[in-house]
Amino acid sequence: MSQTDLFSAEPSAPFPADAAAEHAAALRRQLHHHAHRYYVLDAPEIPDAEYDRLFQALQALEAAHPELRTPDSPTQRVLGQVLDGFEPVRHAVPMLSIRTETDTEPTGAATFDARARRELALGEDAPPLRYACELKFDGLAVNLRYVDGVLVQAATRGDGETGEDVTQNIRTIGQIPLRLRDGPSGGAGGLPAVLEVRGEVYLRRDAFDRLNERQRERIARGDKGERTYVNPRNAAAGAVRQHDPALAAERPLSFFAYGLGEVQGWTLPDTHRGVLDALDTFGLPVCAERAVVEGADGLAAFHQRIGQQRDRLPFDIDGVVYKVDDLALQRQMGFVSREPRWAVAHKYPAQEQMTTVREIDIQVGRTGKLTPVAKLEPVFVGGTTVSNATLHNEDETRRKDVRAGDTVIVRRAGDVIPEVVGVVLERRPADAGEPFDLYQRLGGHCPVCGSDIVREEGEADWRCTGGLFCPAQRKQALLHFAGRRAMDIEGLGDKVVEQLVDAGLVRTLPELYTLGVAKLAALDRMGERSAQNLVDALEKSRHTTLGRFLFALGIRHVGEATAKALARHFGGIDRLVEASVEQLTEVADVGPVVAQSLRTFFDQPHHCEVVERLRAVGVVWDEHDGVPPAEVLPLAGLTLVLTGTLPTLGRDAAKDLIEAAGGKVSGSVSKKTHYVVAGVEAGAKLEKAQALGLPILDEAGLLALIGPGVTEGHGPNAA
Ligand code: IVH
């Protein structure tokens, strides 16, 4: 039987006995393999929904052919398994699982309500049952044991009878109190002698994203043995069963309490709601999103309301849980096998599904970032149909080894963009594509504008260097260009840029300056007057400084301060455009990365063209930012050190003077110091200067060196 047949796992139209046995054995092998990946390694290869499908196929097959049911069949075992390395903990009260209803609304809720009423032998006229409704958190179940209010032990569920002692790791969860607060006042008298609290350890989605982001960085840095996690539940489970509590603590886990285990020395409330309220007063986190409702309609309304909020919750849920609220009725209903009759989980559509990759596309983002995206066979996941999923970046794509033709697990949780979390390697076709190589795939050029692409050292992303020239980056480039600290074009915000680009009115920066009132006034929510204001603002922005202009070009790594420093140093754009990487690094604060980025930018002829065309449409700047070009200043390129007290100039005045003359003031003397200016009581710095044989000036010497041009208006006698 081929793998494909196995995975199709269509349950059991009567099979010939041989084929059935073979099919059952193959399903069992698969299920054992995937259960190990899931429970022991916390690294599943297939989505839960797929596992469930295989499991149900085996169940159906065994039901049709009971002789095939082996004792080691996955269907004969409760989920979970005790890991080596943790002390086993026998649960005082078994940790049960819960029946799952997957039917969509309103059937799921109505089915449960009808069953509960039947089991309690309630007639048609009996009043509706009350139910406590909660979220079904997608994490790891734990039992917390408090003795006289102190946390003494925490255990996983394991197989329901015996779990693992994970006390050390659970202690690192800030939300879990190590000591309970004093109980509900006046109640049964303070804290229970023994209180076992059951609940779910989970990882918030933002914490999960940060964790994987960090893992990706570690992998990019070449850290061995690191990996990203498939989903928050696996990451949480991995953290709880981490052997080093410090590593467990690295993942900010959270906890919600939802029930009780063993209790001694405490009178239980009458209702489940009462239990949760009591846990809340004890200082345990209980999810606020809970309600007590009446009858099937109440359940259905809760299911629907939470379903609408699901994407906005800060953590994953895979459904809601309904529990008969009255504890006396719960006792009356009891259990069937290992599931209570008084509770049911009502699921939502799965957030992970399997599908196949048609091809891998590369998208250019607003900032020039190149992102590989898997084009998928459309699949319904997390409540919507998904046909694209991000692969994040080149390393991630290679690490997961995603190729065209592969079967992959797609995850869509919350309003996060869908992502490919892994490949099902068993299903890779013989003609699957090549391992992913972004540069090779693109031939080194941006797929949108053809500019060179680069990946800087230590960076995870390839980028298009087209910047303001690249259509994909147009909107971002225009917004940046218009920014207050750049060209300062008032009124050219998000909405306007959006429309200008979408309507094809502005394709390049220079075109901004050819827009007239008529064209602008035709835009949505614009009007004659705002259009005129914008034209005026554009007009005003034509006169700028070189620093602002350079910053406005949006050259990578060139922030405002760097742009200013470049303007002052080169004193004109033409010399800057021609400067070599070495010459560029002579500018204060310009290191090799910035220098290379400038060089790459001006090496693209279309960038120089944009600059020329901006000049042609009348953009002018004061080439030196109001400061004379560095070379003509008397102290340009010189570093001076001040020491001692000068006769007339205060320290600040002397420093201002030196800087106005183009010099730099440094705090320490070295071989690179050009002059030391010494006053009275000059100390160690003077000695060092003498030892190094540096020229030493007094105040008069300094003033003479600077000359009259700069000193006017700066001296101590300045008005
Ligand atoms: S009550 C006797 N309530 O779902 C009922 N379980 O199979 C015991 N879960 O592993 C469970 N949210 O970890 C209950 N609000 C909730 C829950 C919840 C998540 C998990 C639990 C257990 C599984 C039930």
Side-chain angles (χ1 to χ4, degrees):
M1 175 182 309
S2 77
Q3 296 288 1
T4 333
D5 289 334
L6 179 59
F7 268 91
S8 74
E10 287 314 328
S12 68
F15 265 95
D18 278 3
E22 202 181 315
H23 192 190
L27 281 169
R28 251 175 243 140
R29 254 198 326 276
Q30 290 295 319
L31 285 162
H32 280 309
H33 170 78
H34 292 301
H36 179 77
R37 300 280 319 181
Y38 182 102
Y39 289 107
V40 181
L41 304 180
D42 294 319
E45 287 171 348
I46 56 171
D48 292 3
E50 194 57 29
Y51 184 88
D52 293 347
R53 230 162 62 78
L54 293 172
F55 192 87
Q56 282 155 16
L58 181 59
Q59 265 182 331
L61 199 58
E62 288 176 347
H65 303 271
E67 73 282 3
L68 294 179
R69 199 171 281 146
T70 56
D72 73 331
S73 172
T75 58
Q76 302 306 298
R77 188 159 66 92
V78 218
L79 304 183
Q81 150 178 356
V82 181
L83 264 189
D84 285 346
F86 288 103
E87 285 300 311
V89 174
R90 196 154 174 87
H91 297 302
V93 176
M95 288 183 81
L96 304 170
S97 57
I98 197 167
R99 245 171 65 82
T100 300
E101 208 65 73
T102 41
D103 279 358
T104 43
E105 224 24 68
T107 344
T111 314
F112 176 56
D113 181 54
R115 191 173 341 102
R117 293 181 70 87
R118 203 167 49 242
E119 274 156 11
L120 288 167
L122 296 177
E124 293 219 344
D125 305 336
L129 274 171
R130 278 171 175 279
Y131 297 104
C133 300
E134 292 165 25
L135 307 186
K136 185 165 190 302
F137 313 108
D138 205 2
L140 184 77
V142 293
N143 182 67
L144 309 176
R145 186 175 174 88
Y146 288 90
V147 174
D148 295 327
V150 177
L151 178 67
V152 296
Q153 188 176 61
T156 62
R157 172 158 155 232
D159 64 5
E161 300 290 336
T162 309
E164 302 142 352
D165 186 333
V166 287
T167 315
Q168 289 302 84
N169 289 342
I170 293 297
R171 277 187 209 279
T172 66
I173 303 178
Q175 285 193 338
I176 294 184
L178 298 178
R179 174 181 286 278
L180 297 180
R181 285 209 309 250
D182 239 330
S185 56
L191 294 171
V194 173
L195 181 75
E196 286 191 350
V197 178
R198 296 207 166 147
E200 198 88 348
V201 171
Y202 67 96
L203 195 62
R204 287 170 55 108
R205 277 202 279 262
D206 53 359
F208 171 72
D209 290 340
R210 273 201 305 274
L211 169 70
N212 265 353
E213 200 50 54
R214 199 175 56 208
Q215 291 301 98
R216 275 194 278 276
E217 280 163 19
R218 286 179 172 170
I219 294 164
R221 271 206 316 261
D223 290 9
K224 291 278 171 294
E226 297 290 355
R227 59 172 176 125
T228 52
Y229 294 86
V230 173
N231 55 41
R233 184 194 51 219
N234 290 112
V240 167
R241 294 144 107 203
Q242 172 61 248
H243 284 280
D244 177 356
L247 288 178
E250 220 182 53
R251 296 178 213 174
L253 296 169
S254 307
F255 177 78
F256 278 133
Y258 55 62
L260 297 175
E262 187 186 8
V263 177
Q264 285 177 30
W266 189 54
T267 313
L268 284 181
D270 294 333
T271 60
H272 183 72
R273 182 221 292 251
V275 169
L276 294 188
D277 289 346
L279 293 179
D280 180 50
T281 2
F282 285 142
L284 285 150
V286 182
C287 183
E289 211 57 76
R290 60 186 197 267
V292 173
V293 304
E294 287 193 348
D297 292 347
L299 296 176
F302 185 80
H303 185 268
Q304 195 188 11
R305 179 166 70 78
I306 299 297
Q308 283 160 356
Q309 293 173 14
R310 183 189 190 193
D311 277 358
R312 292 192 298 275
L313 291 172
F315 46 82
D316 279 4
I317 59 170
D318 52 358
V320 289
V321 178
Y322 311 139
K323 297 172 182 172
V324 172
D325 193 38
D326 187 318
L327 298 193
L329 293 181
Q330 283 190 8
R331 282 187 281 271
Q332 192 181 326
M333 293 172 83
F335 305 90
V336 51
S337 68
R338 290 165 162 272
E339 295 165 354
R341 286 203 179 86
W342 44 263
V344 73
H346 194 177
K347 291 235 188 179
Y348 292 119
Q351 286 172 324
E352 281 165 22
Q353 287 295 354
M354 270 184 3
T355 185
T356 51
V357 177
R358 287 177 172 167
E359 57 181 329
I360 298 176
D361 245 23
I362 295 159
Q363 289 180 357
V364 189
R366 285 166 62 93
T367 59
K369 180 177 149 176
L370 299 168
T371 307
V373 174
K375 296 276 162 192
L376 305 169
E377 212 46 66
V379 61
F380 189 71
V381 51
T384 46
T385 300
V386 167
S387 41
N388 295 306
T390 181
L391 292 162
H392 295 290
N393 56 46
E394 179 180 53
D395 290 350
E396 214 30 30
T397 312
R398 282 204 210 152
R399 201 181 52 74
K400 288 175 183 156
D401 192 16
V402 183
R403 308 187 192 182
D406 269 339
T407 296
V408 291
I409 304 174
V410 176
R411 173 178 158 84
R412 182 192 164 274
D415 40 18
V416 202
I417 21 173
E419 64 168 346
V420 168
V421 292
V423 174
V424 184
L425 284 175
E426 298 101 312
R427 303 194 78 186
R428 170 164 291 164
D431 62 347
E434 292 290 301
F436 187 67
D437 182 329
L438 192 142
Y439 189 87
Q440 201 186 358
R441 268 281 300 279
L442 296 180
H445 299 296
C446 169
V448 175
C449 74
S451 297
D452 294 347
I453 60 169
V454 290
R455 179 175 171 185
E456 288 170 11
E457 217 180 300
E459 293 261 328
D461 297 310
W462 284 93
R463 292 183 173 276
C464 160
T465 56
L468 46 92
F469 172 78
C470 180
Q473 300 171 66
R474 237 169 235 166
K475 289 177 186 172
Q476 182 88 338
L478 281 169
L479 275 174
H480 176 81
F481 185 78
R484 204 165 51 79
R485 324 209 63 136
M487 299 297 276
D488 193 17
I489 308 171
E490 213 181 310
L492 192 61
D494 257 347
K495 300 259 153 47
V496 180
V497 165
E498 194 83 27
Q499 294 187 62
L500 287 175
V501 173
D502 291 346
L505 290 174
V506 176
R507 276 158 305 164
T508 63
L509 296 176
E511 283 177 353
L512 267 180
Y513 290 95
T514 60
L515 289 168
V517 175
K519 268 188 195 163
L520 286 170
L523 298 181
D524 222 21
R525 277 187 260 159
M526 204 28 155
E528 235 7 77
R529 189 177 185 139
S530 334
Q532 184 59 56
N533 287 345
L534 183 50
V535 168
D536 292 348
L538 277 161
E539 194 49 44
K540 200 171 127 213
S541 78
R542 273 185 222 266
H543 300 269
T544 185
T545 63
L546 179 56
R548 275 177 177 271
F549 181 75
L550 283 176
F551 175 58
L553 292 177
I555 305 165
R556 192 157 157 76
H557 301 304
V558 177
E560 220 185 328
T562 307
K564 239 184 189 160
L566 287 164
R568 286 178 73 150
H569 185 95
F570 288 100
I573 197 157
D574 299 330
R575 271 188 291 150
L576 167 62
V577 168
E578 280 152 24
S580 66
V581 167
E582 293 74 49
Q583 287 167 329
L584 287 163
T585 44
E586 280 167 20
V587 181
D589 298 335
V590 172
V593 173
V594 183
Q596 187 52 58
S597 169
L598 281 156
R599 221 21 295 145
T600 310
F601 184 90
F602 289 116
D603 279 343
Q604 316 268 319
H606 48 247
H607 285 156
C608 296
E609 213 168 282
V610 169
V611 170
E612 276 323 304
R613 284 184 36 221
L614 280 167
R615 277 170 141 170
V617 295
V619 174
V620 290
W621 52 84
D622 164 358
E623 289 262 310
H624 333 297
D625 271 10
V627 179
E631 288 88 324
V632 308
L633 287 170
L635 299 187
L638 302 182
T639 302
L640 289 81
V641 172
L642 294 165
T643 176
T645 313
L646 301 179
T648 60
L649 286 171
R651 192 167 265 275
D652 288 344
K655 185 163 184 270
D656 287 350
L657 192 56
I658 291 169
E659 285 175 353
K664 237 179 87 180
V665 176
S666 163
S668 59
V669 177
S670 75
K671 272 189 298 198
K672 289 192 183 152
T673 308
H674 294 96
Y675 291 99
V676 171
V677 184
V680 287
E681 286 178 28
K685 289 182 192 171
L686 179 57
E687 282 166 28
K688 186 161 181 198
Q690 285 162 337
L692 290 170
L694 298 174
I696 294 157
L697 302 172
D698 58 6
E699 181 180 295
L702 172 68
L703 294 174
L705 186 65
I706 291 173
V710 179
T711 38
E712 268 162 27
H714 264 96
N717 301 323

